[in-house]
Amino acid sequence: MAFRACSLNDLTPGEGLRIDSVNPPIAVFLTDEGDVHAIDDTCTHQDASLAAGWVEDCRVECPLHESTFSLLTGEVDQPPAKRGVRVHEVELEGDDVLVELSDKAPQLPPGVTL
């Protein structure tokens, strides 16, 4: 079941917004092209927020060690991370950003538990 994660007005192109109301937290991104994506917020390498990363070419770069993750597939494109993150389905309903959480198990970094 989808939930309201935020409003489109809460998002800034090229930046992420951390949503803490779910566990593990997710990050919602608005690309410069106007697309909205949602992925797990925690880097799979170490406990860092991907919402604080840099977005370019539909990828987010972790602010800690520069691993990059695809906003489309969640796959990791650049080490040191070796595992990807979950991608969540996003639907826009007016100004509301609705997110349907993936039913896959999250890939959390060492030492981080739900």
Side-chain angles (χ1 to χ4, degrees):
M1 168 170 284
F3 72 98
R4 183 185 183 280
C6 61
S7 164
L8 267 178
N9 294 330
D10 296 331
L11 301 174
T12 303
E15 295 182 13
L17 177 67
R18 182 178 169 110
I19 307 296
D20 287 311
S21 61
V22 292
N23 191 20
I26 64 170
V28 178
F29 297 90
L30 175 62
T31 65
D32 289 329
E33 296 76 31
D35 297 319
V36 180
H37 301 277
I39 62 173
D40 280 350
D41 183 55
T42 307
C43 177
T44 58
H45 172 248
Q46 276 191 330
D47 191 5
S49 172
L50 295 177
W54 298 271
V55 177
E56 187 176 359
D57 296 329
C58 220
R59 289 172 167 47
V60 61
E61 181 179 299
C62 177
L64 198 55
H65 293 116
E66 301 176 353
S67 288
T68 58
F69 298 86
S70 168
L71 296 178
L72 297 172
T73 66
E75 292 179 12
V76 64
D77 299 329
Q78 180 173 303
K82 294 181 172 85
R83 298 175 297 144
V85 294
R86 296 183 305 170
V87 172
H88 307 288
E89 193 174 317
V90 173
E91 186 179 323
L92 299 178
E93 199 171 272
D95 191 43
D96 292 334
V97 177
L98 306 177
V99 175
E100 173 112 16
L101 295 176
S102 169
D103 57 3
K104 295 180 181 176
Q107 302 276 353
L108 297 172
V112 175
T113 58
L114 289 176

